[in-house]
Amino acid sequence: MQAFAKLSAAAILAIGCNSAFAQLDLARSGSVDTVSSNPNPLMYVSQNLARNATATYRYLDDLYSLGSSSPTRLALVPDPLGSSRKVFSHTVYSTDPLVSGGSRTEVSLKYDYVIEGVRWYAFSMLFPSDWQFHASPTVVAQMNTSQKTTSVPPPVAVVASGQDLNIELHSNYRNMSGTGTDPATRANTADLLVRAGKIETNKWYCFVVRADWSFKPGIGSLQIWMNGNLAYESVNAYNAYDTWLGNYPKVGLYLPGVMQVPSRRLYTDFIYTGGASSTYDTMAALTPCGTAAAPTANVIR
């Protein structure tokens, strides 16, 4: 398992700030050409961001951290639907050792942490024809939070449960230090479940998220589109936590606790991020679905 560097939030925001505010932040997100590690590692984050922004060939660890029992569980393969793009194939077996308390093969962006303010995200996943429908949850994407002490669920998670594809939302305005008269806990964290649709195999599910991150009451907004349809929206409401480094995206397979199926395989596209000046069309155009809305079975408004 590759571990991402421990960076201060100020350092991440200050380094390469021009790219962070761009419509598409290629220094921190986007495609890679191989799942191998870069044979020429650089010492400083600023050096990595500068190289990423202009590189014509990019390695997995230029942009992503891998969480898995083995690097062989992640592969770069042709799009199973036949397009010219390459995508990630994530695999987990029930016999694999647990990683941080769960079965997982997932990738997260190494340098894309946002504490407060507007950030755009685009990510996609495809459930293959041999996907086993089971009531136990499989998390396939997250907008996770970086915390030092209190363990809380991610602000946004896309979860496959049985035949349902759900969006789970979690947030808390209380302090995360574990001290004081009313600290944040798992029990007093706000939870919301949105049933986004029924899972169809061999179909891309493409998400675009505009998050104005905030843990402060009355401040913040969140819009989540799935396959061109607005699946969830909130305004003037907190949507995250008082995070340490910030909120960051990840995609892949995460099965909490004991795995209830023999194996899981999932295809995902790369993660793309953009600054406040980005738009839905800019981000959606990067996904396998493009900007056109696609019908989705039993979407609940």
Side-chain angles (χ1 to χ4, degrees):
M1 176 181 176
Q2 296 173 332
F4 54 80
K6 303 293 186 186
L7 304 171
S8 73
I12 293 174
L13 290 174
I15 295 166
C17 60
N18 289 338
S19 64
F21 292 107
Q23 281 196 322
L24 174 61
D25 192 346
L26 290 177
R28 293 172 175 81
S29 71
S31 63
V32 297
D33 299 282
T34 176
V35 293
S36 299
S37 298
N38 196 317
N40 299 303
L42 299 174
M43 180 177 297
Y44 299 108
V45 175
S46 58
Q47 294 174 316
N48 283 280
L49 293 178
R51 181 168 66 181
N52 291 345
T54 59
T56 57
Y57 190 92
R58 306 205 295 183
Y59 296 82
L60 180 70
D61 64 346
D62 289 338
L63 293 167
Y64 296 94
S65 294
L66 172 63
S68 180
S69 64
S70 169
T72 62
R73 297 292 187 253
L74 182 74
L76 197 62
V77 300
D79 179 356
L81 297 192
S83 78
S84 60
R85 68 198 304 139
K86 294 283 190 177
V87 298
F88 288 130
S89 172
H90 309 249
T91 306
V92 173
Y93 294 94
S94 59
T95 53
D96 289 345
L98 298 183
V99 178
S100 300
S103 300
R104 68 178 79 219
T105 297
E106 54 186 359
V107 293
S108 58
L109 291 181
K110 293 173 69 173
Y111 306 122
D112 205 284
Y113 290 79
V114 177
I115 295 175
E116 290 184 303
V118 175
R119 194 68 167 161
W120 285 84
Y121 306 89
F123 53 89
S124 309
M125 72 283 303
L126 181 147
F127 301 90
S129 57
D130 60 357
W131 181 266
Q132 300 176 65
F133 293 100
H134 193 279
S136 59
T138 300
V139 182
V140 295
Q142 302 178 54
M143 304 283 107
N144 213 342
T145 178
S146 170
Q147 297 295 339
K148 280 186 176 181
T149 53
T150 307
S151 177
V152 289
V156 180
V158 180
V159 182
S161 181
Q163 290 188 303
D164 292 326
L165 189 61
N166 300 325
I167 301 170
E168 298 183 3
L169 305 165
H170 310 278
S171 56
N172 203 320
Y173 62 85
R174 299 169 180 87
N175 81 78
M176 301 299 295
S177 65
T179 62
T181 58
D182 187 27
T185 65
R186 178 64 187 87
N188 62 26
T189 293
D191 300 318
L192 178 65
L193 185 146
V194 178
R195 297 199 184 280
K198 293 293 183 181
I199 296 173
E200 301 175 51
T201 60
N202 291 324
K203 172 179 178 174
W204 280 107
Y205 288 86
C206 302
F207 288 83
V208 173
V209 177
R210 181 191 184 275
D212 185 358
W213 294 117
S214 176
F215 69 94
K216 300 171 183 175
I219 301 175
S221 64
L222 185 64
Q223 291 84 38
I224 303 174
W225 292 266
M226 184 180 79
N227 290 9
N229 301 299
L230 186 61
Y232 175 78
E233 182 174 25
S234 68
V235 295
N236 299 326
Y238 65 92
N239 51 36
Y241 306 92
D242 184 7
T243 180
W244 173 38
L245 293 178
N247 303 302
Y248 64 98
K250 57 168 61 178
V251 295
L253 291 166
Y254 167 51
L255 293 86
V258 179
M259 195 166 164
Q260 300 295 314
V261 292
S263 64
R264 278 277 190 242
R265 180 164 54 95
L266 181 78
Y267 298 101
T268 72
D269 193 27
F270 308 111
I271 304 171
Y272 296 93
T273 62
S277 65
S278 194
T279 65
Y280 169 82
D281 284 346
T282 298
M283 303 306 295
L286 300 166
T287 71
C289 303
T291 57
T296 302
N298 297 335
V299 173
I300 298 175
R301 298 298 181 192

